Amino acid sequence: MLDLGDIQRGVLGPRPSPYAGTYLLLRIHDPVAGREALKRLTPLIASAADLTSPLGDAWLAVALSYQGLKALGVPQASLASFSPEFQQGMAARAAELGDVGANDPNNWEQPFGTPETHLALAVLAPDQTRLHAVLERAQQALRALPGVTAIYRQDCASLPTGREHFGFQDGISQPAIEGTGIPASNPQEAPLKAGEFVLGYGDEWERLAPMPQPEVLGRNGSYVALRKLHQDVAAFRRFLAHHATSAAEEDLLAAKIVGRWRSGAPLALAPERDDPELAADPKRRNAFLYYDDDPKGLKCPLGSHIRRMNPRDHFKDEIVQVNRHRVFRRGQAYGPVLPEGVMEDDGAERGLVFLFVGADLRRQFEFIQREWINQGTFIGAPAERDPLIGPNDGTGIFTIPKQPIRRRLQGLPQFVTMRGGEYFFMPGLKALRWLAELDP
Ligand code: HEM
């Protein structure tokens, strides 16, 4: 049984739609103040049992970086029990993650990539009014605590278009997790074991992922990877316009790159033309697999974003264990929409705050980033990268399987650039109380 009352709602709770969100990063200068901050914040955090929390359908989630746990005074033996990637922090993992060139941590916004980021607060709500109410309570809890200071703030909000910045419906496909009661977005996929996402439970191999110690600290916690990703919308539009001879062809190429039409209708079920009715039907729009229906990617290219990120049953007879590399993700848009038809960048900051939540940073998030985003060996095209979010450099290639001959889009630039990120640990509520009461 999942102890939903101890798991933060921020781990499993579905994102409101529409949404408004704020991320605050804080620095702990003084361990006593840091622990006091946790003591005051914990009662405000909604649990996963509370899908309608005491604060309405707006909630606060709290997570700590490795440096943050250190700043609180967590004992060395416990610090050493966290996963090595988490201990190193995201910037130190740049080589593994392909965060080089424009994505290099030296180019990140401060304080990302520095040891200053200790505590992250996330507030999510269906609208600005409810967001401000929760944020105000969280800020109130931190008042008169000079040993804890806010050093970064990122506001997010659903765009007036209802889509992400490149114009696509997002947040459709999510793995179902046993014991949560949240219905599967794909009725053809069995729910995954809770231990893939929350520590202290059996995973897909009936094993327990390594858990930070003592148990009260690790149990019901999850690792989180936060990445602030800038989107170059004008470059995406220019690329489509350059390779297409009509607006309809532009829409098709965009769909081939993502694997879904902008409406959200999947190519796997609507390969020839968009199907807004299908896109609007939550029971059908994610109800597909690839192996029997589209083994060669003639409908949904093997290299498209969604097929890379979740190849589903594509490797049925092979050793690639797709379910060992699933991600529970959250994305929230920031920045203004680039008006329709504008083909030159206006210099505004816009993009997505991407969050991965899971039990194993290396096996899940880092694997996907390294093997499935940054290269294409697994689809038989080692030189190809994710066409939407991969670190392409103007010479990238995207292959669209087609009969009688495939089509190759050349000259892919980089559409998405890292602005900064960090690894966090999102403890269970008992663990937060244990941290607040530490007496080192
Ligand atoms: C600016 C960056 C990104 C954009 C604009 C973006 C956009 C999208 C869109 C439009 C979809 C289709 C909607 C859906 O199936 O829910 C999608 C799906 C998905 N994306 Fe991304 N994405 C971004 C970054 C990432 C990153 C960094 C990861 C993982 C490390 C990721 C993993 C996924 C996964 C797992 C799916 C669902 C695939 C499936 O189950 O079929 N995305 N993304």
Side-chain angles (χ1 to χ4, degrees):
M1 284 285 282
L2 263 181
D3 188 357
L4 292 170
D6 195 42
I7 299 168
Q8 291 196 46
R9 174 177 167 155
V11 174
L12 300 169
R15 182 189 73 187
S17 178
Y19 61 87
T22 292
Y23 292 89
L24 285 181
L25 300 181
L26 300 108
R27 180 167 176 220
I28 300 168
H29 307 263
D30 164 23
V32 177
R35 297 196 290 268
E36 179 62 24
L38 287 189
K39 194 179 205 163
R40 295 184 193 175
L41 288 169
T42 305
L44 306 180
I45 300 171
S47 82
D50 243 346
L51 286 175
T52 48
S53 80
L55 300 167
D57 36 13
W59 75 82
L60 166 73
V62 169
L64 289 138
S65 69
Y66 177 72
Q67 296 299 335
L69 293 168
K70 252 171 112 170
L72 281 179
V74 170
Q76 185 52 42
S78 173
L79 290 172
S81 67
F82 281 83
S83 76
E85 314 74 63
F86 173 74
Q87 291 184 41
Q88 287 169 35
M90 191 180 276
R93 304 291 293 165
E96 286 78 4
L97 295 171
D99 286 340
V100 295
N103 289 347
D104 189 296
N106 286 320
N107 301 327
W108 292 1
E109 288 173 13
Q110 297 285 319
F112 291 116
T114 72
E116 311 276 293
T117 304
H118 295 160
L119 188 63
L121 305 190
V123 181
L124 214 57
D127 53 50
Q128 295 292 344
T129 312
R130 278 175 278 184
L131 176 82
H132 287 134
V134 179
L135 196 57
E136 176 54 31
R137 289 187 66 175
Q139 286 173 324
Q140 189 73 39
L142 295 170
R143 230 151 257 162
L145 272 185
V148 178
T149 44
I151 52 174
Y152 187 84
R153 174 175 176 155
Q154 180 64 60
D155 291 319
C156 299
S158 25
L159 303 179
T161 55
R163 311 260 173 99
E164 57 71 52
H165 281 291
F166 292 139
F168 294 85
Q169 187 68 46
D170 197 4
I172 297 170
S173 177
Q174 199 76 284
I177 306 173
E178 256 183 33
T180 59
I182 299 171
S185 66
N186 183 356
Q188 299 178 27
E189 279 179 341
L192 298 181
K193 297 275 188 290
E196 291 293 322
F197 304 100
V198 186
L199 295 170
Y201 301 90
D203 64 16
E204 285 290 298
W205 286 355
E206 300 298 341
R207 292 187 200 148
L208 290 178
M211 192 165 77
Q213 295 300 315
E215 193 176 326
V216 61
L217 175 59
R219 178 171 285 280
N220 293 323
S222 299
Y223 287 106
V224 174
L226 181 150
R227 283 168 89 75
K228 181 177 173 186
L229 299 168
H230 172 76
Q231 293 177 247
D232 188 344
V233 177
F236 188 65
R237 289 181 186 166
R238 285 197 304 273
F239 182 78
L240 296 175
H242 177 75
H243 288 278
T245 52
S246 66
E249 196 187 358
E250 277 187 39
D251 285 345
L252 177 65
L253 292 184
K256 291 284 184 186
I257 286 174
V258 169
R260 290 186 186 271
W261 297 90
R262 284 189 161 110
S263 67
L267 284 177
L269 300 177
E272 305 291 338
R273 63 193 60 80
D274 191 6
D275 183 345
E277 236 173 73
L278 168 65
D281 185 344
K283 287 208 172 72
R284 290 195 296 138
R285 66 187 177 187
N286 200 35
F288 61 91
L289 297 172
Y290 296 119
Y291 186 83
D292 290 328
D293 216 37
D294 187 22
K296 298 197 170 118
L298 291 168
K299 295 178 186 172
C300 181
L302 306 181
S304 63
H305 177 62
I306 68 160
R307 198 154 171 172
R308 282 173 172 267
M309 296 300 89
N310 178 13
R312 304 188 184 213
D313 66 339
H314 180 85
F315 300 106
K316 206 177 205 162
D317 299 330
E318 298 171 41
I319 44 169
V320 182
Q321 300 271 343
V322 170
N323 282 351
R324 300 287 286 166
H325 311 294
R326 298 294 300 280
V327 290
F328 196 76
R329 77 202 150 97
R330 287 258 154 62
Q332 276 123 56
Y334 67 89
V337 171
L338 185 69
E340 190 85 28
V342 175
M343 304 299 271
E344 291 304 323
D345 189 28
D346 59 357
E349 271 300 319
R350 61 173 60 83
L352 191 81
V353 173
F354 172 86
L355 284 184
F356 149 86
V357 181
D360 192 327
L361 288 167
R362 191 189 185 92
R363 167 165 65 77
Q364 296 170 320
F365 169 68
E366 290 197 347
F367 177 92
I368 292 183
Q369 187 71 37
R370 196 183 60 236
E371 304 290 330
W372 292 354
I373 294 177
N374 293 348
Q375 52 156 311
T377 310
F378 76 112
I379 51 163
E384 293 191 23
R385 295 160 165 182
D386 187 304
L388 186 73
I389 64 169
N392 290 296
D393 61 359
T395 63
I397 297 168
F398 173 52
T399 303
I400 303 176
K402 201 173 163 206
Q403 270 162 353
I405 38 167
R406 67 188 173 205
R407 177 161 183 201
R408 278 211 157 131
L409 303 185
Q410 315 262 3
L412 258 180
Q414 181 165 344
F415 300 126
V416 169
T417 305
M418 264 296 270
R419 288 290 189 252
E422 188 51 280
Y423 288 152
F424 293 96
F425 182 67
M426 201 187 272
L429 297 175
K430 280 193 206 97
L432 281 169
R433 286 192 281 272
W434 180 85
L435 285 166
E437 278 154 24
L438 265 181
D439 189 6

